[in-house]
Amino acid sequence: MPDDIPYNRAFDLEPGRAEDVAPGVRRIVADNPGPFTFKGTVSYIVGRGKVAIVDPGPDDPKHIAALLDAVRGETVTHIFVTHTHRDHSPAVPAIKAATGAQVLAEGPHRASRPLNAGEAPRMEASNDLDFRPDRALADGNVVNGDGWTIEAIATPGHTANHVAFAYKEGDLIFSGDHVMAWSTSIVAPPDGAMSDFMNSLHKLAQRPEPIYLPGHGGEVRDAPNFVAAYIKHRHAREASILHRLAKGAADIPTIVRAVYIGLDPRLSGAAGYSVLAHLEDMAARGRVLTEGPPSISGVYRLAGS
Ligand SMILES: [Zn+2]
């Protein structure tokens, strides 16, 4: 399928080294590269003197030490968390213990929908089930720090509790794993949901901020157009899944082989769940039929065929 998203994979920050990325924003990448994390999780420091940290990252003593080192002589007043995957939030207890900062996030980890009979919480190993914020943020909540203002933008889809953060003074958005310059986001039921993900993209598409700073990789430039390309990409994927169903494909592995040409084999499981996310969404809209609730091993066909 043609790549319609103007990806930017340029990113050569050395792990553990703080670097200015925008006025009033520093970033540090953790040393946890991989097929799902690109070069590693990016943590951000907002402000000077009395600062906020966005996404402290994995429970990696070296990354935690690097973050604390970068803010030496400053006070960390707030810790913001975009979502509760294990590459984003498990460093929170250590950073909180060292700084006394308040922890803000949408809420604890939860699935996007009730589990179906026989369905296990899928990405159990990926989820930080211990995480609890000190303060739960709802969509539109504004937090004022010393010289910075952050607005919570509820962006469920990648996870149910995903939230992006608009940094007002910088005219930019910390977009977490919802919108990234290097790749599409993974939407895997039951942790994620495609209908939520699309609604969250449409919500961001209405916003004017030109720059996004994501949880992995470098900045997203010309963000409103990039978000529009993300939306278009999902519509195209949906169309190609419908096309495959029309051609007689009836199960997820067959659809993945036809739709994801040249896929990194380490990502084939995630691709299967991404197709499931689309099928679940299309079944809810009456475009696709299956026996019982949509599942990874289900048999599918077009409605009206
Ligand atoms: Zn994530």
Side-chain angles (χ1 to χ4, degrees):
M1 149 170 192
D3 242 337
D4 39 2
I5 300 176
Y7 292 115
N8 175 13
R9 297 193 173 93
F11 187 78
D12 55 7
L13 187 57
E14 175 194 324
R17 202 170 61 79
E19 170 191 270
D20 289 324
V21 62
V25 184
R26 288 163 276 172
R27 67 180 173 188
I28 302 187
V29 63
D31 194 10
N32 61 337
F36 296 102
T37 57
F38 191 43
K39 304 285 177 74
T41 308
V42 185
S43 301
Y44 296 94
I45 302 164
V46 183
R48 280 279 174 191
K50 290 184 180 166
V51 304
I53 291 177
V54 178
D55 279 358
D59 184 14
D60 167 9
K62 278 194 343 213
H63 184 61
I64 291 164
L67 265 174
L68 292 174
D69 205 39
V71 296
R72 182 160 302 163
E74 302 179 278
T75 306
V76 181
T77 56
H78 299 72
I79 299 167
F80 292 92
V81 174
T82 60
H83 68 295
T84 44
H85 279 153
R86 295 194 66 82
D87 52 329
H88 290 261
S89 55
V92 166
I95 300 285
K96 183 184 164 165
T99 63
Q102 185 185 44
V103 179
L104 303 97
E106 195 265 0
H109 191 85
R110 65 179 186 280
S112 284
R113 56 159 172 77
L115 297 186
N116 299 323
E119 185 179 48
R122 195 186 75 83
M123 295 169 77
E124 186 78 359
S126 315
N127 299 331
D128 178 5
L129 301 176
D130 298 327
F131 177 84
R132 299 286 180 279
D134 297 321
R135 178 174 161 196
L137 293 174
D139 187 45
N141 283 175
V142 172
V143 180
N144 292 295
D146 185 10
W148 53 261
T149 311
I150 281 181
E151 175 197 351
I153 311 167
T155 42
H158 175 70
T159 61
N161 66 357
H162 194 287
V163 57
F165 298 109
Y167 167 42
K168 298 295 191 180
E169 289 79 1
D171 198 20
L172 59 84
I173 291 176
F174 297 102
S175 54
D177 285 6
H178 181 58
V179 176
M180 300 176 286
W182 75 283
S183 169
T184 55
S185 181
I186 288 173
V187 181
D191 290 284
M194 190 58 72
S195 55
D196 292 345
F197 184 73
M198 295 304 288
N199 289 338
S200 296
L201 286 179
H202 285 291
K203 183 193 231 171
L204 285 190
Q206 303 304 312
R207 298 192 60 110
E209 289 88 346
I211 301 281
Y212 292 1
L213 296 176
H216 304 275
E219 57 268 44
V220 175
R221 302 188 176 279
D222 195 8
N225 277 326
F226 192 88
V227 170
Y230 247 51
I231 291 170
K232 222 175 113 200
H233 174 85
R234 288 296 174 180
H235 287 156
R237 175 127 302 156
E238 181 179 294
S240 57
I241 292 170
L242 287 169
H243 177 71
R244 286 294 143 192
L245 289 170
K247 293 264 186 192
D251 60 81
I252 289 175
T254 305
I255 295 170
V256 168
R257 277 193 297 277
V259 171
Y260 291 80
I261 308 295
L263 180 72
D264 178 339
R266 294 174 297 175
L267 297 177
S268 68
Y273 279 93
S274 178
V275 170
L276 172 60
H278 277 291
L279 289 168
E280 206 171 76
D281 180 34
M282 290 191 279
R285 285 155 43 211
R287 303 281 314 269
V288 164
L289 300 175
T290 184
E291 273 310 307
S295 81
I296 194 74
S297 54
V299 175
Y300 296 87
R301 65 190 163 85
L302 288 181
S305 67

